[in-house]
């Protein structure tokens, strides 16, 4: 079965839909589990008023029966509570109050950094709302729902995914060594999902200061997957390489401008002897500077990615722009928004990591039913174990 997922929905439309195909039959699944991830996405200090309106929860539309997947497409719907206030503006019918020349809440002063300008020109729209409604990070609700299902699948194979904020508004956190396990209960306990209490205080102070001046802040999140088997992904073709697929998935998160695996850019500054992870008896590694992939395949070490998010482009003290209606200089439109969404981006990055890893796992082990996937997985692990040199620690 081909693995694929897609989302539909506008930020202030009726709701968001996620469709996920290729998950084997027999995976135990509950709405509670998916909703717990949606709740995590809504959190974080620096979020705006919208998160007070919403209470994101899925309704199953298909693919699950009596608490187990059927192997058919899994469709999930999340209603937008805020839609109630936008019904006329977002109505699909041409004669609705928000339609035609009477359109309300039009956006003609594109925000630098948002999809407003390029989208309006490309799609030939006079009202940038036709672009921003879909470009909004609200779409990530549906990604997180699909990612939550993938997390449940991965857990069946001993894989656990977590994240924490390592930088926000220029404040760099000291990362505890070792990172706490499990990771998410520790990071979720912090208002900014940061494991360094001193840095957390400073991050919160900077968010307050940015809010006071109508500004926004970016940051960096570290996302980690533990328990992966060696050999997911492949070296054989460019589009099979797991590192490339991870980078694409993580870069597709709104406002993300950079992705590093392991040492990332730092690896380019060091000598080879200070970069590569020596192989020890039992095929263990002395270090994990690679961040869990070599040659486009998992090494069996923790997968460690760092994801950099730019500050949100809706500024309450707006930047210069041009009014597309008049062609004259103007101040960019100010829509209600967040001061920062870096803590939430970590949850979204976990979902994207889970989607890519679940796809790679199912590519390798196949199976229409979970029992079949598991048999194939265990057979492969036995094969790898048999290759571990005799007498070595495993
Ligand atoms: C978001 C919902 C949005 C924004 C944010 C993310 O709600 P609203 O536009 O109604 O305030 O809070 O969207 C953006 C940052 C953006 O650039 O569009 C959400 O559910 O995550």
């Amino acid at each position: 079965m081909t693995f694929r997922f897609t989302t539909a929905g506008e930020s202030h439309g009726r709701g968001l839909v996620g469709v996920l195909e290729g998950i084997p039959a027999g995976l135990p699944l509950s709405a509670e589990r998916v909703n717990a991830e949606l709740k995590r996405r809504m959190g974080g200090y620096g979020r705006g008023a919208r998160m007070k309106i919403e209470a994101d929860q899925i309704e199953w539309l298909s693919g699950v029966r009596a608490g187990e997947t059927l192997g058919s497409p899994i469709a999930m719907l999340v209603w937008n509570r805020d839609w109630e206030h936008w019904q006329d503006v977002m109505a699909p019918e041409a004669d609705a109050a928000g339609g035609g020349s009477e359109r309300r809440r039009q956006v003609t002063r594109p925000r630098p950094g948002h999809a407003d300008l390029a989208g309006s020109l490309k799609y030939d729209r006079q009202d940038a709302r036709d672009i921003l409604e879909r470009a909004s990070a609200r779409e990530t609700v549906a990604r997180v729902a699909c990612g939550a299902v993938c997390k449940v699948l991965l857990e069946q194979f001993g894989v656990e995914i977590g994240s924490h904020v390592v930088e926000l508004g220029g404040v760099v956190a000291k990362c505890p060594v070792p990172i706490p396990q499990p990771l998410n209960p520790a990071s979720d306990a912090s208002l900014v999902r940061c494991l360094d209490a001193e840095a957390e205080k400073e991050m919160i102070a900077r968010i307050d200061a940015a809010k006071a001046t109508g500004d926004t802040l970016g940051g960096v999140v570290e996302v980690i997957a533990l328990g992966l088997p060696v050999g997911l992904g492949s070296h054989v073709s460019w589009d099979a390489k797991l590192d490339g697929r991870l980078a694409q998935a993580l870069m597709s998160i709104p406002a993300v401008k950079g992705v590093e695996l392991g040492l990332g850019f730092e690896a380019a500054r060091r000598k080879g002897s200070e970069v590569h992870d020596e192989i020890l008896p039992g095929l263990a590694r002395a270090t994990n500077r690679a961040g869990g992939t070599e040659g486009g395949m998992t090494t069996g070490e923790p997968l460690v990615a760092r994801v950099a998010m730019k500050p949100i482009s809706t500024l309450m003290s707006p930047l210069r722009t041009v009014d597309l209606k008049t062609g004259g200089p103007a101040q960019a439109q100010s829509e209600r928004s967040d001061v920062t969404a870096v803590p939430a981006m970590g949850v979204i990055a976990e979902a994207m990591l889970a989607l890519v890893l679940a796809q790679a796992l199912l590519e390798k082990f196949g199976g229409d039913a979970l029992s079949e996937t598991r048999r194939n997985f265990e057979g492969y692990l036995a094969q790898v174990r048999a290759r571990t040199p005799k007498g070595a620690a495993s």
Side-chain angles (χ1 to χ4, degrees), residues 11-12 41 47-51 54 56 82 86 111 114 132 135-141 254 312-314 335-338 341 344 348:
S11 182
H12 305 100
R41 196 203 72 94
R47 293 284 252 159
R50 178 73 182 269
M51 292 302 107
E54 302 297 339
D56 296 338
D82 205 18
W86 290 78
R111 291 159 293 176
H114 215 284
L132 70 90
S136 165
R138 178 113 192 105
E139 179 263 344
T140 61
V141 172
I312 283 170
S313 48
T314 308
E335 289 256 323
R336 173 190 62 196
S337 191
D338 311 312
I348 301 158

Side-chain angles (χ1 to χ4, degrees), residues 18-366:
V19 182
L20 178 62
E21 199 176 345
I23 298 292
L27 178 71
L29 205 52
S30 71
E32 201 184 342
R33 182 61 213 280
V34 178
N35 290 339
E37 292 294 321
L38 296 185
K39 191 164 182 204
R40 292 179 65 231
R41 196 203 72 94
M42 294 184 72
Y45 196 81
R47 293 284 252 159
R50 178 73 182 269
M51 292 302 107
K52 293 189 180 77
I53 299 170
E54 302 297 339
D56 296 338
Q57 298 212 320
I58 58 148
E59 280 182 26
W60 298 118
L61 296 182
S62 70
V64 180
R65 182 167 178 244
E68 285 194 358
T69 55
L70 300 173
S72 56
I74 299 168
M76 292 167 281
L77 166 70
V78 178
W79 298 110
N80 283 324
R81 285 190 172 189
D82 205 18
W83 176 75
E84 220 177 276
H85 311 117
W86 290 78
Q87 286 186 52
D88 52 350
V89 178
M90 294 303 292
E93 293 78 20
D95 56 0
S101 56
E102 298 303 309
R103 275 169 172 248
R104 292 176 44 224
R105 303 190 73 152
Q106 289 196 34
V107 177
T108 61
R109 292 172 286 128
R111 291 159 293 176
H114 215 284
D116 301 350
L117 178 57
S120 295
L121 296 175
K122 176 178 162 67
Y123 287 86
D124 197 16
R125 304 280 84 198
Q126 306 304 316
D127 177 5
R129 180 161 302 288
D130 289 353
I131 303 302
L132 70 90
E133 283 290 336
R134 179 63 182 163
S136 165
R138 178 113 192 105
E139 179 263 344
T140 61
V141 172
R143 299 198 203 191
V144 169
C146 292
V149 175
C150 292
K151 275 189 176 186
V152 174
L153 175 78
L154 290 164
E155 280 164 16
Q156 293 281 335
F157 299 91
V159 180
E160 205 180 300
I161 297 177
S163 69
H164 62 119
V165 170
V166 295
E167 217 175 304
L168 202 160
V171 180
V172 181
K174 287 192 196 77
C175 294
V177 183
I179 296 280
Q181 275 321 313
L183 171 55
N184 280 340
S187 52
D188 288 350
S190 154
L191 285 174
V192 285
R193 308 198 60 251
C194 176
L195 300 171
D196 174 350
E198 278 305 302
E200 178 193 44
K201 260 190 251 161
E202 185 54 29
M203 287 171 183
I204 288 172
R206 292 211 187 171
I207 294 169
D208 289 339
K211 186 172 184 175
T213 57
D215 223 322
T216 57
L217 299 176
V220 180
V221 158
E222 186 169 79
V223 52
I224 303 172
L226 296 180
L228 288 163
V230 66
L232 299 189
S234 175
H235 65 293
V236 299
S237 290
W238 71 269
D239 54 353
K241 287 176 179 275
L242 192 75
D243 41 8
R245 292 157 64 177
L246 288 167
Q248 196 277 331
L250 294 169
M251 282 289 279
S252 78
I253 300 170
V256 166
K257 299 301 279 183
V259 175
E260 293 184 321
L261 291 181
L263 285 181
F265 273 51
E266 174 61 19
R269 298 180 197 113
R270 296 190 186 183
K271 287 181 269 188
S273 56
E274 295 162 353
V275 168
H276 301 298
D277 304 306
E278 289 185 303
I279 303 168
L280 305 178
L283 304 185
R285 297 305 181 105
T287 49
N288 181 29
R289 296 165 183 148
T293 69
E294 278 176 345
M297 291 170 278
T298 51
T299 58
E301 296 294 313
L303 199 131
V304 185
R306 286 191 169 209
V307 187
M309 184 186 200
K310 70 181 179 181
I312 283 170
S313 48
T314 308
L315 305 185
M316 293 307 143
S317 301
L319 296 173
R320 287 181 301 168
T321 190
V322 165
D323 192 329
L324 297 177
K325 223 166 29 191
T326 64
Q331 301 262 285
Q333 202 110 351
S334 292
E335 289 256 323
R336 173 190 62 196
S337 191
D338 311 312
V339 177
T340 188
V342 173
M345 187 272 283
V347 179
I348 301 158
E350 289 174 31
M352 294 311 291
L353 198 68
L355 281 153
V356 172
L357 293 176
Q359 180 172 29
L361 184 126
L362 292 169
E363 241 166 52
K364 172 114 187 77
F365 303 113

